[in-house]
Amino acid sequence: MYFSRLFAPTLREVPGEAEVVSHQLLLRAAMIRRAAAGIYTYLPLGWRVLEKIMRIVREEMDRAGGQELLLPIVQPAELWQATGRWDVYGPEMFRLQDRHGRPFCLGPTHEEIITALVRAEVKSYRQLPLLLYQIQNKYRDERRPRFGLLRGREFIMKDLYSFDRDEEGMRASYARMYEAYSRIFTRLGLAFRIVEADPGAIGGGLSQEFMVTAATGEASVVFCEACGYAADVDQAPCRPQALPREEPKPLEEVATPEVRTVEEVAAYLGVPQWRILKTLFYRADGRLLGIVLRGDRRLNEAKLQRFLGCLSLEMADDAAVAAATGSPPGFVGPVGLEDVVFYADAEVAQVTNAVAGANREDHHLINVNPGRDFPLRLADLRAAEEGDPCPRCGAPLSTAQGIEVGQIFQLGTKYSGALGATYLDEQGRERPIVMGCYGIGISRTMAAAVEQHHDAAGIIWPAPIAPYHAVVIPVNPQEGRQWEVAVQLYRQLGAAGIEVVLDDRPERAGVKFADADLIGFPWRVTVGKKVSTQGVVDVRRRGTPEEVSLAVEATAAFLREQLAAQGIETGSRTHNHDGDSFSCR
Ligand code: ATP
Ligand code: MG
């Protein structure tokens, strides 16, 4: 491909809309453009990256025994009503009606529709196991679409569904997918961690997530160096930590003028933060409730939602809190509010003579004793943190940030039961099909790769997913010999099956180098003055500072070898219609 013909409108400036580096670089490197919040066009370079990710995913799904199909995006409400998820999905689901007023949705996921398909077509144990997958757009009207492709409202997902005769079969399918996912993310050139996960709205039993490690990741994970335990912070159970106990003293109100936050109260009263009872108010399916935690701990909302089993959960606004407590925020607490149900994190039971808001402006209570001064309803609600004891072995946990690129679930009979998907076993008995489901965020994976692999100049694509393998840059295309050799190299590389762009633009060399770094071609071949004097060109691998000088004739073989070392087989070339050599992808 000649650069002058490539539809790659790169940007010098960082677009104001983009907060995280992958979003900035994908826009600047002409991979994507925004159409609406969380909805993107994939430009030719970006689409090539996605195609390569999808190709690797397909190869591994097929290797594991999967068969590809394509399910509809527009799905009838009835199926979702049958499993109860028409309500569970709430405002995240894009809903629409046809001209007859019949309700539909745009698929946020496809368990319902595929289970209905299998219910209709699978009758006998002889047809099982079955692994079916698709790669397709998903629609989720996320509360906060942001970070470009990391959290979109329309995004590309690979989803596979496994159908087995029994639990043992499901576990075998799950193990195959675990293995396939590990191979996929390794082949994509990404560093990742596999962690225990919260099944969330998908439901079922065991679930694990594949997290690409990146400091900017939205997901928090905890892991144990000692025993290998690793979990999403939404899933990791916390053991209550014991605290020194005191003889309970009588409850007392003290003035705390303008002293609101845990830090301020601790400093003002001279007590450790853990002795303060932090009180939060939430609405769960519309109902107001209070949460009490140690002042130095953070609530984990996923744990709270799981514990309550509610469909919607959001923080209550200040007006609702004031109406329930008679106090502005900063001075609220669980004592004396008989009308509000409070749940406390398990550790709250350990705190004696605590401090809490008095539900009166500028006042706190001291010597609050949970159980004595307010009823204790305990649950594990706090987020695990660095240094907490590992739930498996007790060694101190470490924490890291990550980007969830894939999740696998053992569903059991959750969907087959609700939709009546059964088969007849060898004895002719009717049994429910046992299922699993397995997702990979294809478009999110592209952004995760950029989060993990970039520098100040641009993207450093792992070679297996780079839009092209190499760019050839004639420093001065007006100089006859440089242009000649550049075209000759472009042809030779193309003939060797290397995907190559020739930067033929009448731009300064600096502009071409900057674009090459921004787009992130793994290899850059510079044809400059030395080609006339010494017959050599300069070859540089993106992300490394050193250039090697190579004889023109040796360049194609060198690059083929380098690419082969990164697991890329360069096939034979084909020609595109205008006669430019163009390798087969
Ligand atoms: P998250 O917790 O990040 O919202 P999820 O757990 O709801 O994701 P799944 O239902 O497990 O997502 O979907 C499978 C995969 O699809 C995820 O692992 C992720 O890679 C991808 N994915 C989910 N939501 C989005 C989104 N809004 N934008 C891009 N990719 C997404
Ligand atoms: Mg998930």
Side-chain angles (χ1 to χ4, degrees), residues 37-67:
I39 301 180
Y40 290 87
T41 296
Y42 306 113
L43 297 176
L45 287 174
W47 186 243
R48 286 179 73 98
V49 174
L50 289 168
E51 288 261 39
K52 289 189 177 183
I53 297 172
M54 291 189 281
R55 199 214 298 174
I56 290 173
V57 169
R58 276 199 177 93
E59 282 174 12
E60 295 300 335
M61 289 300 104
D62 293 347
R63 184 205 298 268
Q67 301 178 58

Side-chain angles (χ1 to χ4, degrees), residues 140 157 197-200 202 207-211 232 404-409 439 444:
R140 293 184 186 178
M157 196 201 287
D198 172 11
I202 307 283
S207 179
Q208 283 163 302
E209 287 164 340
F210 288 69
M211 296 277 189
D232 192 309
E404 181 200 320
V405 286
Q407 187 167 5
I408 57 180
F409 302 81
R444 183 184 280 185

Side-chain angles (χ1 to χ4, degrees), residues 463-483:
I465 59 172
Y468 288 88
H469 299 138
V471 60
V472 174
I473 300 180
V475 173
N476 178 7
Q478 308 299 2
E479 215 266 280
R481 181 71 188 140
Q482 283 184 30
W483 176 247

Side-chain angles (χ1 to χ4, degrees), residues 177-256:
M177 283 300 125
Y178 180 98
E179 177 68 22
Y181 274 39
S182 304
R183 289 180 57 93
I184 287 168
F185 294 111
T186 303
R187 284 183 65 188
L188 294 175
L190 301 175
F192 62 97
R193 239 179 233 292
I194 304 169
V195 305
E196 290 180 15
D198 172 11
I202 307 283
L206 178 66
S207 179
Q208 283 163 302
E209 287 164 340
F210 288 69
M211 296 277 189
V212 163
T213 47
T216 51
E218 276 188 285
S220 302
V221 302
V222 294
F223 59 96
C224 176
E225 305 277 15
C227 74
Y229 172 80
D232 192 309
V233 77
D234 289 350
Q235 182 68 12
C238 295
R239 284 193 208 161
Q241 251 154 275
L243 289 171
R245 297 188 75 83
E246 292 179 351
E247 256 328 286
K249 295 182 208 159
L251 190 64
E252 204 180 309
E253 187 175 86
V254 295
T256 50

Side-chain angles (χ1 to χ4, degrees), residues 72-78 80 86 89 93-97 102-109 139:
I73 289 170
V74 178
Q75 303 180 13
E78 296 99 80
W80 290 83
W86 187 252
Y89 257 93
M93 186 182 255
F94 277 103
R95 295 160 205 258
L96 64 159
Q97 290 190 344
R102 280 188 287 255
F104 288 84
C105 68
L106 302 182
T109 176
Y139 296 85

Side-chain angles (χ1 to χ4, degrees), residues 55 100 154 162 168 225 322 341 458 498 500 532 537 543 560 574:
R55 199 214 298 174
H100 308 294
E154 175 184 89
S162 63
E168 194 188 336
E225 305 277 15
V341 174
I498 295 164
V500 59
S532 308
V537 295
R560 268 193 98 151
T574 58

